[in-house]
Amino acid sequence: MSQTSKENKITLALFYCQNIPESGKQDRQSLEEEYGKSIRLFPIPCSGRLEPLHLLRALEEFADVAYVITCPEGECRYFDGNLRAKKRVQRTREIIESIGLEGERIGIVMNKNSKSLARQAHEIMENITHLRPSPVLSPHRAQQEKGEKRDNC
Amino acid sequence: MASKYIIDTQAVPNRFEVLTQSGIIAWEEGCLKCPVCVKKQCVYGVYDNRDLDIRQMIDSLDNQCMNCLRCVQGCPKELIHKSINPEYEALGDSHWTPYVIAKSWYQAETGKIPVSGAGYSGPFSGPGFDSMWTDMSEIVRPTRDGIHGREYISTGIHLGKTPRHLTFTDSGDLDSDPSFLVDIPLPIILRIPPFGSLGKNTIKGWALAAKKLGTFLALPYEMIDEEIIAFKECLIPSISPAQPYGDDGLGGVRLIEVLWGKNWKAITRQITETHPSAMTAIRLPLVGGIKETVLSLVNSGVSIISLEGTSNGRLVDDNSVFMRDTIRSIHLALVEHGIRDEVTLLVGGGLSMAEHVAKAIICGADGVVIDLPILIALECRMCRRCTKELPCPVEIDQAASSWVASRTINLLGAWHNQILEIMGAMGIRDVRRLRGEAGRAMFFEDLDRNTFGSLGEVQEGYELE
Ligand code: SF4
Ligand code: SF4
């Protein structure tokens, strides 16, 4: 794949509620074109569907940072899915802090002004540029670089 | 009698988790801790066997759920909701719908006919082939004896010109040359799709599938290399007049296709000279006024014509017209001119389900050419990321050729069985008899006219109360 200009050293796993504006297939693909391998997008039916496990597994496997975008407070289609997501993000933060990772590696954006997916993603990307690649992934990365091409399965 | 044509299928697991329609939203917060939680009562054990596919963050909750809604209805605090998985909704487009894609995955995985349960809850009619129905008046026959029962239903067709009459020598031997007919046991030819994250093994796998199925794989001439040419007897190299063509080790190929273009005649002549034993086919885009071109080609001796609509089943020059009626009119024009058997008419573009094969044949094609279904068989999500150089979410180019071949064979095996079902129910035992049998089908426009035509027309701007 071609190296895109905005490709970062770190990877963001971005979960987002399917009800946020301009978050359809095309919008998603434009973001992927823009950021290349630095972004992994996961649309979910409701932000309340997200569990600490999703965020933790993402950090463990491929992401340096994991964020979730929810609908504005009071506007969740399932009433309080976004509030639950907020609590879960908080809890997950505590977990990663307790093992010595920066809490900022996990974040939530409650889309107050109903911004588009792309605008939110840009802002999150700006906010995380100061973070180092995650120490959790270092062994993975070294391995990947060694044997980038996988054997046929 | 020749032995029965049966496609052997075997379950071939997916390489990635499939996307399903279900999007469960199940919350813990506020739980009343009922003595017996509805989650424990799920008969499929969905909540007990929970797992997460990390590559794509797919929750097994969604993939195992059978959508009975028992848990949703049963939770006294209404903590469980069901929504639609946004990833599933984003599959494909309005023609290659998530439903079509998911059912094709199922067929490629299992080799079985997809069954959607009791009754049909969809709309009465839809666009294109969805506005035609086949006569099922003989439906008792296959159920009595099964589609692979005593009555053999043949799906074989031949490609090329059928001789009008046979001639014999004085000694009584056959005088005409029968070599200019090629038989295939299935009215379906495979074609390399217009896009896809394809690797060498993908092409090889499809060639292998074509060989095992006894049909052909049509592919651009430039794609043929030393490894692929090993499958020469089941390849149809496609030669574009825009590209230089020299003789190139195509010896032994049985069928060569020339794309429509200014100098198609010169190229066809060149091929006939260098490969006298190969048949040539002409591939034309299916456009509005193509009928005249087809007639003149047949009159000039072209014996195989492949007509290609768009990938959403419409005319290349008019996206509002479905290819259905154009195929019918071409077939009827050939019949009127008394030259229908001088040519094999193949039709392709947008055929996404087994029933489309039967319906295209009823409209007048001899056989069909399919491309995207064989890509979807490999778990393609029709996201078209590959056309933008983005990575393929299901890494199709990394799949082994044996996997590619088995998945393709499974899909075609399931389609073959469905074609047999349709023909059995129609009481037709040879697919060549199905060609142009429009009298054994119903068309929405005709039904609408016959039923409501006498009531007059609704004027524009006039509201029915
Ligand atoms: S909807 Fe039915 S199958 Fe699905 S999780 Fe609930 S109880 Fe189980
Ligand atoms: S899944 Fe997407 S990227 Fe992969 S082959 Fe299909 S359309 Fe192309």
Side-chain angles (χ1 to χ4, degrees), chain A residues 1 18 25-26 28-29 32-33 40 45-46 48-49 51 54 57 61 78 81 84 88 150 152-153, chain B residues 24-25 27 29 50 52 54-55 59 62 83 87 90 92 201 383 385 388-389 391 395 398 400:
Chain A
M1 209 199 68
Q18 61 171 334
K25 188 159 88 175
Q26 295 310 329
R28 174 179 172 183
Q29 287 191 10
E32 286 171 339
E33 279 177 70
R40 293 281 307 273
C46 166
R49 155 78 181 261
E51 299 196 13
H54 295 110
R57 291 295 268 148
E61 289 295 325
Y78 300 94
R84 289 165 199 266
R88 290 172 186 175
R150 289 205 301 141
N152 285 354
C153 44
Chain B
I24 296 185
I25 304 166
W27 294 330
E29 295 94 339
R50 195 159 174 195
L52 185 69
I54 310 161
R55 274 194 293 183
D59 201 313
D62 290 332
S83 172
E87 296 260 39
N201 281 337
C383 63
R385 276 187 172 80
K388 299 175 189 153
E389 289 190 41
E395 300 169 11
Q398 302 291 319

Side-chain angles (χ1 to χ4, degrees), chain B residues 24 42 44 46-47 65-71:
Chain B
I24 296 185
C42 170
Y44 304 101
V46 167
Y47 292 95
C65 173
M66 293 296 184
N67 300 317
C68 73
L69 300 185
R70 181 179 181 182
C71 58

Side-chain angles (χ1 to χ4, degrees), chain B residues 195-197 375 380-386 391-394 396:
Chain B
F195 59 84
S197 168
L375 184 65
C380 169
R381 296 177 176 180
M382 297 288 283
C383 63
R384 292 179 163 86
R385 276 187 172 80
C386 45
C392 172
V394 286
I396 287 178

